[in-house]
Amino acid sequence: MKRIALLVAGVLALGVAVASAAKLPQAPACPVFPASSPWNQRVDKLPVAAESDRIVAAIGADDHMHADFGSGLWDGGPIGIPITVVRGTQAKSRVAFQYASESDKGPYPIPKNVAIEGGRQSEGDRHALIVDRDSCKLYELFALYPTASGSWQAGSGAIFDLRSNKLRPAGWTSADAAGLPILPGLARYEDVAKGRIDHALRFTVSETRAAYVWPARHVASDKTDPSLPPMGMRFRLKRNYPIASFPRQARIVLQALKEYGMIVADNGSNWYVSGAPSPKWSNDQLHTLGRVPGSAFEVVDGTKLRN
């Protein structure tokens, strides 16, 4: 017990708040990674990175935040990246991967009715996130398609132990360009219903540097401009940015961005923050996030998170 107390004291001394592991209601026995995971660590007391202004300007200080999730349908599919929860008895399938050398072979417990980002007819990223609630394993797939023979094919796939902080091998992708898990970075309505999101969020920018920083493992660019963010870079909403006037759902998202921040995970539209779809999201409330400019964010010096 003394050793644990000393460890906690040391973490607090670094300015990193001790967090509790997030939970999925559909898998209550499983953490969404340990409390010590970078996704679950607060960053509101960490210093601002020296290059913050330059990188925010390169992304777009005058561009605005967007909630890339919500309720209802867009182009016939759910708005956001859905999560499928299965039992350990779910039959597993082999998947044919386009990027097999950087994908976990599996097999993967893919039910016939697995939820796919954008819907079954989507031509987008078609992410599928599957949680085995009995083994606490997370299976994530990019560009998942059924085949005529009844099997599955995908661009890439990764398997994570939700009880472990183990990273992908250096240089490996996952179902996400940064080689990170997607699930822990999603805004989930269940958290908002409780009044608090206690983890970092995932977001995209249109251009990244050909580099990655911990905890990312992979690049998706050949650009060398040092003003562009590398994969895995951590941002947060500035402490003095006023959020009291925002409606409840948006305000809770913004508070999480002040406390836990957000991590560059993929190339896409600037300042697009990811979440899971839910019929309980208020699209009207989430649309107010579009009032937040890029200039309201700053880059966090995340080096102390690794200590």
PDB file of all heavy atoms in Angstrom, residues 19-54:
ATOM      1  N   ALA A  19      -6.764   9.435 -12.604  1.00  0.00           N
ATOM      2  CA  ALA A  19      -8.108   9.238 -13.145  1.00  0.00           C
ATOM      3  C   ALA A  19      -8.622   7.860 -12.778  1.00  0.00           C
ATOM      4  O   ALA A  19      -7.886   6.992 -12.330  1.00  0.00           O
ATOM      5  CB  ALA A  19      -8.081   9.386 -14.667  1.00  0.00           C
ATOM      6  N   SER A  20      -9.912   7.675 -12.985  1.00  0.00           N
ATOM      7  CA  SER A  20     -10.500   6.344 -12.871  1.00  0.00           C
ATOM      8  C   SER A  20     -10.776   5.842 -14.272  1.00  0.00           C
ATOM      9  O   SER A  20     -10.978   6.630 -15.191  1.00  0.00           O
ATOM     10  CB  SER A  20     -11.804   6.406 -12.062  1.00  0.00           C
ATOM     11  OG  SER A  20     -12.723   7.282 -12.686  1.00  0.00           O
ATOM     12  N   ALA A  21     -10.754   4.530 -14.438  1.00  0.00           N
ATOM     13  CA  ALA A  21     -10.981   3.968 -15.757  1.00  0.00           C
ATOM     14  C   ALA A  21     -12.443   4.154 -16.160  1.00  0.00           C
ATOM     15  O   ALA A  21     -13.354   3.949 -15.358  1.00  0.00           O
ATOM     16  CB  ALA A  21     -10.617   2.488 -15.764  1.00  0.00           C
ATOM     17  N   ALA A  22     -12.643   4.556 -17.411  1.00  0.00           N
ATOM     18  CA  ALA A  22     -13.992   4.694 -17.934  1.00  0.00           C
ATOM     19  C   ALA A  22     -14.632   3.321 -18.081  1.00  0.00           C
ATOM     20  O   ALA A  22     -13.961   2.293 -18.083  1.00  0.00           O
ATOM     21  CB  ALA A  22     -13.952   5.416 -19.270  1.00  0.00           C
ATOM     22  N   LYS A  23     -15.951   3.287 -18.198  1.00  0.00           N
ATOM     23  CA  LYS A  23     -16.687   2.026 -18.305  1.00  0.00           C
ATOM     24  C   LYS A  23     -17.689   2.104 -19.448  1.00  0.00           C
ATOM     25  O   LYS A  23     -18.185   3.179 -19.800  1.00  0.00           O
ATOM     26  CB  LYS A  23     -17.450   1.742 -17.009  1.00  0.00           C
ATOM     27  CG  LYS A  23     -16.581   1.493 -15.784  1.00  0.00           C
ATOM     28  CD  LYS A  23     -16.062   0.074 -15.751  1.00  0.00           C
ATOM     29  CE  LYS A  23     -15.373  -0.227 -14.423  1.00  0.00           C
ATOM     30  NZ  LYS A  23     -14.892  -1.613 -14.365  1.00  0.00           N
ATOM     31  N   LEU A  24     -17.987   0.952 -20.012  1.00  0.00           N
ATOM     32  CA  LEU A  24     -19.102   0.815 -20.944  1.00  0.00           C
ATOM     33  C   LEU A  24     -20.250   0.158 -20.198  1.00  0.00           C
ATOM     34  O   LEU A  24     -20.054  -0.912 -19.609  1.00  0.00           O
ATOM     35  CB  LEU A  24     -18.718  -0.062 -22.130  1.00  0.00           C
ATOM     36  CG  LEU A  24     -17.904   0.534 -23.264  1.00  0.00           C
ATOM     37  CD1 LEU A  24     -17.641  -0.541 -24.312  1.00  0.00           C
ATOM     38  CD2 LEU A  24     -18.623   1.711 -23.890  1.00  0.00           C
ATOM     39  N   PRO A  25     -21.447   0.727 -20.189  1.00  0.00           N
ATOM     40  CA  PRO A  25     -22.561   0.099 -19.479  1.00  0.00           C
ATOM     41  C   PRO A  25     -22.858  -1.318 -19.958  1.00  0.00           C
ATOM     42  O   PRO A  25     -23.278  -2.170 -19.179  1.00  0.00           O
ATOM     43  CB  PRO A  25     -23.736   1.039 -19.767  1.00  0.00           C
ATOM     44  CG  PRO A  25     -23.116   2.337 -20.123  1.00  0.00           C
ATOM     45  CD  PRO A  25     -21.819   2.012 -20.783  1.00  0.00           C
ATOM     46  N   GLN A  26     -22.614  -1.579 -21.263  1.00  0.00           N
ATOM     47  CA  GLN A  26     -22.904  -2.895 -21.818  1.00  0.00           C
ATOM     48  C   GLN A  26     -21.846  -3.931 -21.439  1.00  0.00           C
ATOM     49  O   GLN A  26     -22.039  -5.126 -21.652  1.00  0.00           O
ATOM     50  CB  GLN A  26     -22.997  -2.821 -23.348  1.00  0.00           C
ATOM     51  CG  GLN A  26     -23.936  -1.747 -23.876  1.00  0.00           C
ATOM     52  CD  GLN A  26     -23.181  -0.461 -24.213  1.00  0.00           C
ATOM     53  OE1 GLN A  26     -22.350   0.007 -23.442  1.00  0.00           O
ATOM     54  NE2 GLN A  26     -23.495   0.110 -25.373  1.00  0.00           N
ATOM     55  N   ALA A  27     -20.728  -3.479 -20.885  1.00  0.00           N
ATOM     56  CA  ALA A  27     -19.648  -4.380 -20.465  1.00  0.00           C
ATOM     57  C   ALA A  27     -19.122  -3.906 -19.114  1.00  0.00           C
ATOM     58  O   ALA A  27     -17.979  -3.456 -18.998  1.00  0.00           O
ATOM     59  CB  ALA A  27     -18.541  -4.409 -21.508  1.00  0.00           C
ATOM     60  N   PRO A  28     -19.942  -3.989 -18.077  1.00  0.00           N
ATOM     61  CA  PRO A  28     -19.605  -3.355 -16.797  1.00  0.00           C
ATOM     62  C   PRO A  28     -18.387  -3.938 -16.095  1.00  0.00           C
ATOM     63  O   PRO A  28     -17.808  -3.274 -15.234  1.00  0.00           O
ATOM     64  CB  PRO A  28     -20.877  -3.563 -15.966  1.00  0.00           C
ATOM     65  CG  PRO A  28     -21.546  -4.754 -16.588  1.00  0.00           C
ATOM     66  CD  PRO A  28     -21.250  -4.661 -18.040  1.00  0.00           C
ATOM     67  N   ALA A  29     -17.983  -5.158 -16.445  1.00  0.00           N
ATOM     68  CA  ALA A  29     -16.822  -5.762 -15.800  1.00  0.00           C
ATOM     69  C   ALA A  29     -15.506  -5.327 -16.431  1.00  0.00           C
ATOM     70  O   ALA A  29     -14.428  -5.653 -15.913  1.00  0.00           O
ATOM     71  CB  ALA A  29     -16.935  -7.286 -15.831  1.00  0.00           C
ATOM     72  N   CYS A  30     -15.593  -4.607 -17.536  1.00  0.00           N
ATOM     73  CA  CYS A  30     -14.389  -4.248 -18.292  1.00  0.00           C
ATOM     74  C   CYS A  30     -14.115  -2.751 -18.205  1.00  0.00           C
ATOM     75  O   CYS A  30     -14.993  -1.937 -18.489  1.00  0.00           O
ATOM     76  CB  CYS A  30     -14.561  -4.624 -19.762  1.00  0.00           C
ATOM     77  SG  CYS A  30     -14.940  -6.357 -20.056  1.00  0.00           S
ATOM     78  N   PRO A  31     -12.895  -2.376 -17.870  1.00  0.00           N
ATOM     79  CA  PRO A  31     -12.532  -0.962 -17.983  1.00  0.00           C
ATOM     80  C   PRO A  31     -12.326  -0.613 -19.449  1.00  0.00           C
ATOM     81  O   PRO A  31     -12.079  -1.491 -20.272  1.00  0.00           O
ATOM     82  CB  PRO A  31     -11.213  -0.882 -17.211  1.00  0.00           C
ATOM     83  CG  PRO A  31     -10.588  -2.237 -17.438  1.00  0.00           C
ATOM     84  CD  PRO A  31     -11.747  -3.214 -17.441  1.00  0.00           C
ATOM     85  N   VAL A  32     -12.444   0.662 -19.786  1.00  0.00           N
ATOM     86  CA  VAL A  32     -12.024   1.094 -21.117  1.00  0.00           C
ATOM     87  C   VAL A  32     -10.572   1.547 -20.950  1.00  0.00           C
ATOM     88  O   VAL A  32     -10.251   2.731 -20.907  1.00  0.00           O
ATOM     89  CB  VAL A  32     -12.920   2.203 -21.671  1.00  0.00           C
ATOM     90  CG1 VAL A  32     -12.474   2.598 -23.086  1.00  0.00           C
ATOM     91  CG2 VAL A  32     -14.367   1.730 -21.727  1.00  0.00           C
ATOM     92  N   PHE A  33      -9.714   0.552 -20.796  1.00  0.00           N
ATOM     93  CA  PHE A  33      -8.296   0.666 -20.493  1.00  0.00           C
ATOM     94  C   PHE A  33      -8.087   1.123 -19.040  1.00  0.00           C
ATOM     95  O   PHE A  33      -8.970   1.720 -18.440  1.00  0.00           O
ATOM     96  CB  PHE A  33      -7.574   1.559 -21.506  1.00  0.00           C
ATOM     97  CG  PHE A  33      -7.600   0.970 -22.887  1.00  0.00           C
ATOM     98  CD1 PHE A  33      -8.479   1.433 -23.856  1.00  0.00           C
ATOM     99  CD2 PHE A  33      -6.777  -0.090 -23.210  1.00  0.00           C
ATOM    100  CE1 PHE A  33      -8.534   0.858 -25.118  1.00  0.00           C
ATOM    101  CE2 PHE A  33      -6.814  -0.669 -24.471  1.00  0.00           C
ATOM    102  CZ  PHE A  33      -7.691  -0.206 -25.417  1.00  0.00           C
ATOM    103  N   PRO A  34      -6.919   0.828 -18.491  1.00  0.00           N
ATOM    104  CA  PRO A  34      -6.671   1.135 -17.077  1.00  0.00           C
ATOM    105  C   PRO A  34      -6.706   2.634 -16.782  1.00  0.00           C
ATOM    106  O   PRO A  34      -6.584   3.475 -17.686  1.00  0.00           O
ATOM    107  CB  PRO A  34      -5.264   0.564 -16.839  1.00  0.00           C
ATOM    108  CG  PRO A  34      -5.089  -0.481 -17.895  1.00  0.00           C
ATOM    109  CD  PRO A  34      -5.824   0.046 -19.094  1.00  0.00           C
ATOM    110  N   ALA A  35      -6.837   2.962 -15.518  1.00  0.00           N
ATOM    111  CA  ALA A  35      -6.841   4.369 -15.117  1.00  0.00           C
ATOM    112  C   ALA A  35      -5.552   5.065 -15.501  1.00  0.00           C
ATOM    113  O   ALA A  35      -5.524   6.283 -15.706  1.00  0.00           O
ATOM    114  CB  ALA A  35      -7.070   4.473 -13.610  1.00  0.00           C
ATOM    115  N   SER A  36      -4.467   4.305 -15.607  1.00  0.00           N
ATOM    116  CA  SER A  36      -3.171   4.878 -15.969  1.00  0.00           C
ATOM    117  C   SER A  36      -3.006   5.064 -17.475  1.00  0.00           C
ATOM    118  O   SER A  36      -1.982   5.582 -17.922  1.00  0.00           O
ATOM    119  CB  SER A  36      -2.043   3.983 -15.457  1.00  0.00           C
ATOM    120  OG  SER A  36      -2.188   2.655 -15.964  1.00  0.00           O
ATOM    121  N   SER A  37      -3.984   4.652 -18.280  1.00  0.00           N
ATOM    122  CA  SER A  37      -3.919   4.835 -19.723  1.00  0.00           C
ATOM    123  C   SER A  37      -3.828   6.320 -20.063  1.00  0.00           C
ATOM    124  O   SER A  37      -4.445   7.163 -19.401  1.00  0.00           O
ATOM    125  CB  SER A  37      -5.164   4.252 -20.381  1.00  0.00           C
ATOM    126  OG  SER A  37      -5.330   4.717 -21.699  1.00  0.00           O
ATOM    127  N   PRO A  38      -3.086   6.673 -21.119  1.00  0.00           N
ATOM    128  CA  PRO A  38      -3.064   8.084 -21.516  1.00  0.00           C
ATOM    129  C   PRO A  38      -4.446   8.631 -21.833  1.00  0.00           C
ATOM    130  O   PRO A  38      -4.700   9.821 -21.647  1.00  0.00           O
ATOM    131  CB  PRO A  38      -2.153   8.095 -22.744  1.00  0.00           C
ATOM    132  CG  PRO A  38      -2.089   6.680 -23.216  1.00  0.00           C
ATOM    133  CD  PRO A  38      -2.233   5.844 -21.981  1.00  0.00           C
ATOM    134  N   TRP A  39      -5.344   7.788 -22.304  1.00  0.00           N
ATOM    135  CA  TRP A  39      -6.708   8.242 -22.594  1.00  0.00           C
ATOM    136  C   TRP A  39      -7.427   8.692 -21.324  1.00  0.00           C
ATOM    137  O   TRP A  39      -8.324   9.529 -21.387  1.00  0.00           O
ATOM    138  CB  TRP A  39      -7.510   7.119 -23.250  1.00  0.00           C
ATOM    139  CG  TRP A  39      -7.061   6.783 -24.633  1.00  0.00           C
ATOM    140  CD1 TRP A  39      -6.260   5.741 -25.005  1.00  0.00           C
ATOM    141  CD2 TRP A  39      -7.373   7.484 -25.846  1.00  0.00           C
ATOM    142  NE1 TRP A  39      -6.055   5.750 -26.372  1.00  0.00           N
ATOM    143  CE2 TRP A  39      -6.735   6.800 -26.910  1.00  0.00           C
ATOM    144  CE3 TRP A  39      -8.138   8.618 -26.129  1.00  0.00           C
ATOM    145  CZ2 TRP A  39      -6.835   7.222 -28.232  1.00  0.00           C
ATOM    146  CZ3 TRP A  39      -8.235   9.054 -27.448  1.00  0.00           C
ATOM    147  CH2 TRP A  39      -7.599   8.357 -28.478  1.00  0.00           C
ATOM    148  N   ASN A  40      -7.063   8.110 -20.192  1.00  0.00           N
ATOM    149  CA  ASN A  40      -7.783   8.372 -18.948  1.00  0.00           C
ATOM    150  C   ASN A  40      -7.061   9.347 -18.023  1.00  0.00           C
ATOM    151  O   ASN A  40      -7.475   9.524 -16.879  1.00  0.00           O
ATOM    152  CB  ASN A  40      -8.035   7.053 -18.217  1.00  0.00           C
ATOM    153  CG  ASN A  40      -8.928   6.123 -19.015  1.00  0.00           C
ATOM    154  OD1 ASN A  40      -9.821   6.580 -19.738  1.00  0.00           O
ATOM    155  ND2 ASN A  40      -8.698   4.824 -18.924  1.00  0.00           N
ATOM    156  N   GLN A  41      -6.000   9.973 -18.513  1.00  0.00           N
ATOM    157  CA  GLN A  41      -5.250  10.919 -17.694  1.00  0.00           C
ATOM    158  C   GLN A  41      -5.656  12.359 -18.006  1.00  0.00           C
ATOM    159  O   GLN A  41      -5.729  12.762 -19.164  1.00  0.00           O
ATOM    160  CB  GLN A  41      -3.745  10.757 -17.945  1.00  0.00           C
ATOM    161  CG  GLN A  41      -3.171   9.445 -17.439  1.00  0.00           C
ATOM    162  CD  GLN A  41      -3.293   9.297 -15.933  1.00  0.00           C
ATOM    163  OE1 GLN A  41      -3.250  10.288 -15.206  1.00  0.00           O
ATOM    164  NE2 GLN A  41      -3.451   8.082 -15.466  1.00  0.00           N
ATOM    165  N   ARG A  42      -5.888  13.123 -16.947  1.00  0.00           N
ATOM    166  CA  ARG A  42      -6.188  14.539 -17.109  1.00  0.00           C
ATOM    167  C   ARG A  42      -4.927  15.300 -17.539  1.00  0.00           C
ATOM    168  O   ARG A  42      -3.823  14.946 -17.147  1.00  0.00           O
ATOM    169  CB  ARG A  42      -6.747  15.119 -15.815  1.00  0.00           C
ATOM    170  CG  ARG A  42      -8.146  14.623 -15.512  1.00  0.00           C
ATOM    171  CD  ARG A  42      -8.682  15.186 -14.226  1.00  0.00           C
ATOM    172  NE  ARG A  42      -8.766  16.649 -14.232  1.00  0.00           N
ATOM    173  CZ  ARG A  42      -9.615  17.341 -13.475  1.00  0.00           C
ATOM    174  NH1 ARG A  42     -10.459  16.711 -12.672  1.00  0.00           N
ATOM    175  NH2 ARG A  42      -9.617  18.665 -13.513  1.00  0.00           N
ATOM    176  N   VAL A  43      -5.147  16.350 -18.311  1.00  0.00           N
ATOM    177  CA  VAL A  43      -4.010  17.142 -18.803  1.00  0.00           C
ATOM    178  C   VAL A  43      -4.200  18.631 -18.527  1.00  0.00           C
ATOM    179  O   VAL A  43      -3.460  19.459 -19.058  1.00  0.00           O
ATOM    180  CB  VAL A  43      -3.787  16.907 -20.311  1.00  0.00           C
ATOM    181  CG1 VAL A  43      -3.419  15.455 -20.596  1.00  0.00           C
ATOM    182  CG2 VAL A  43      -5.026  17.312 -21.127  1.00  0.00           C
ATOM    183  N   ASP A  44      -5.170  18.978 -17.693  1.00  0.00           N
ATOM    184  CA  ASP A  44      -5.477  20.386 -17.481  1.00  0.00           C
ATOM    185  C   ASP A  44      -4.395  21.130 -16.723  1.00  0.00           C
ATOM    186  O   ASP A  44      -4.358  22.368 -16.753  1.00  0.00           O
ATOM    187  CB  ASP A  44      -6.831  20.552 -16.786  1.00  0.00           C
ATOM    188  CG  ASP A  44      -7.025  19.650 -15.587  1.00  0.00           C
ATOM    189  OD1 ASP A  44      -6.507  18.526 -15.584  1.00  0.00           O
ATOM    190  OD2 ASP A  44      -7.704  20.077 -14.636  1.00  0.00           O
ATOM    191  N   LYS A  45      -3.502  20.421 -16.046  1.00  0.00           N
ATOM    192  CA  LYS A  45      -2.438  21.087 -15.287  1.00  0.00           C
ATOM    193  C   LYS A  45      -1.066  20.969 -15.960  1.00  0.00           C
ATOM    194  O   LYS A  45      -0.072  21.422 -15.398  1.00  0.00           O
ATOM    195  CB  LYS A  45      -2.384  20.525 -13.872  1.00  0.00           C
ATOM    196  CG  LYS A  45      -3.636  20.821 -13.065  1.00  0.00           C
ATOM    197  CD  LYS A  45      -3.526  20.297 -11.638  1.00  0.00           C
ATOM    198  CE  LYS A  45      -4.792  20.626 -10.853  1.00  0.00           C
ATOM    199  NZ  LYS A  45      -4.714  20.109  -9.453  1.00  0.00           N
ATOM    200  N   LEU A  46      -1.016  20.367 -17.118  1.00  0.00           N
ATOM    201  CA  LEU A  46       0.251  20.230 -17.828  1.00  0.00           C
ATOM    202  C   LEU A  46       0.595  21.529 -18.558  1.00  0.00           C
ATOM    203  O   LEU A  46      -0.293  22.303 -18.924  1.00  0.00           O
ATOM    204  CB  LEU A  46       0.182  19.073 -18.820  1.00  0.00           C
ATOM    205  CG  LEU A  46       0.061  17.674 -18.211  1.00  0.00           C
ATOM    206  CD1 LEU A  46       0.022  16.630 -19.312  1.00  0.00           C
ATOM    207  CD2 LEU A  46       1.211  17.392 -17.253  1.00  0.00           C
ATOM    208  N   PRO A  47       1.864  21.780 -18.812  1.00  0.00           N
ATOM    209  CA  PRO A  47       2.248  23.015 -19.509  1.00  0.00           C
ATOM    210  C   PRO A  47       1.840  23.007 -20.980  1.00  0.00           C
ATOM    211  O   PRO A  47       1.605  21.951 -21.572  1.00  0.00           O
ATOM    212  CB  PRO A  47       3.773  23.038 -19.358  1.00  0.00           C
ATOM    213  CG  PRO A  47       4.163  21.613 -19.132  1.00  0.00           C
ATOM    214  CD  PRO A  47       3.031  20.986 -18.379  1.00  0.00           C
ATOM    215  N   VAL A  48       1.786  24.195 -21.544  1.00  0.00           N
ATOM    216  CA  VAL A  48       1.511  24.350 -22.969  1.00  0.00           C
ATOM    217  C   VAL A  48       2.798  24.086 -23.740  1.00  0.00           C
ATOM    218  O   VAL A  48       3.880  24.513 -23.337  1.00  0.00           O
ATOM    219  CB  VAL A  48       0.998  25.770 -23.276  1.00  0.00           C
ATOM    220  CG1 VAL A  48       0.748  25.947 -24.778  1.00  0.00           C
ATOM    221  CG2 VAL A  48      -0.274  26.055 -22.483  1.00  0.00           C
ATOM    222  N   ALA A  49       2.694  23.353 -24.846  1.00  0.00           N
ATOM    223  CA  ALA A  49       3.867  23.074 -25.680  1.00  0.00           C
ATOM    224  C   ALA A  49       4.377  24.357 -26.334  1.00  0.00           C
ATOM    225  O   ALA A  49       3.588  25.244 -26.706  1.00  0.00           O
ATOM    226  CB  ALA A  49       3.523  22.040 -26.743  1.00  0.00           C
ATOM    227  N   ALA A  50       5.683  24.445 -26.479  1.00  0.00           N
ATOM    228  CA  ALA A  50       6.294  25.658 -27.029  1.00  0.00           C
ATOM    229  C   ALA A  50       5.799  25.971 -28.432  1.00  0.00           C
ATOM    230  O   ALA A  50       5.689  27.138 -28.816  1.00  0.00           O
ATOM    231  CB  ALA A  50       7.816  25.500 -27.021  1.00  0.00           C
ATOM    232  N   GLU A  51       5.490  24.945 -29.205  1.00  0.00           N
ATOM    233  CA  GLU A  51       5.086  25.149 -30.602  1.00  0.00           C
ATOM    234  C   GLU A  51       3.569  25.269 -30.771  1.00  0.00           C
ATOM    235  O   GLU A  51       3.051  25.221 -31.892  1.00  0.00           O
ATOM    236  CB  GLU A  51       5.602  23.990 -31.464  1.00  0.00           C
ATOM    237  CG  GLU A  51       4.940  22.635 -31.199  1.00  0.00           C
ATOM    238  CD  GLU A  51       5.601  21.811 -30.107  1.00  0.00           C
ATOM    239  OE1 GLU A  51       6.149  22.419 -29.161  1.00  0.00           O
ATOM    240  OE2 GLU A  51       5.563  20.572 -30.192  1.00  0.00           O
ATOM    241  N   SER A  52       2.836  25.453 -29.692  1.00  0.00           N
ATOM    242  CA  SER A  52       1.375  25.414 -29.732  1.00  0.00           C
ATOM    243  C   SER A  52       0.774  26.392 -30.737  1.00  0.00           C
ATOM    244  O   SER A  52      -0.034  26.002 -31.591  1.00  0.00           O
ATOM    245  CB  SER A  52       0.812  25.686 -28.338  1.00  0.00           C
ATOM    246  OG  SER A  52      -0.597  25.677 -28.365  1.00  0.00           O
ATOM    247  N   ASP A  53       1.134  27.661 -30.662  1.00  0.00           N
ATOM    248  CA  ASP A  53       0.513  28.662 -31.542  1.00  0.00           C
ATOM    249  C   ASP A  53       0.763  28.345 -33.005  1.00  0.00           C
ATOM    250  O   ASP A  53      -0.136  28.486 -33.845  1.00  0.00           O
ATOM    251  CB  ASP A  53       1.047  30.053 -31.213  1.00  0.00           C
ATOM    252  CG  ASP A  53       0.542  30.582 -29.877  1.00  0.00           C
ATOM    253  OD1 ASP A  53      -0.408  30.001 -29.332  1.00  0.00           O
ATOM    254  OD2 ASP A  53       1.112  31.579 -29.395  1.00  0.00           O
ATOM    255  N   ARG A  54       1.969  27.913 -33.328  1.00  0.00           N
ATOM    256  CA  ARG A  54       2.315  27.613 -34.711  1.00  0.00           C
ATOM    257  C   ARG A  54       1.496  26.443 -35.251  1.00  0.00           C
ATOM    258  O   ARG A  54       1.017  26.477 -36.393  1.00  0.00           O
ATOM    259  CB  ARG A  54       3.814  27.298 -34.808  1.00  0.00           C
ATOM    260  CG  ARG A  54       4.300  27.081 -36.232  1.00  0.00           C
ATOM    261  CD  ARG A  54       5.788  26.810 -36.297  1.00  0.00           C
ATOM    262  NE  ARG A  54       6.122  25.452 -35.859  1.00  0.00           N
ATOM    263  CZ  ARG A  54       6.864  25.167 -34.808  1.00  0.00           C
ATOM    264  NH1 ARG A  54       7.357  26.136 -34.049  1.00  0.00           N
ATOM    265  NH2 ARG A  54       7.132  23.909 -34.483  1.00  0.00           N
TER     266      ARG A  54
END
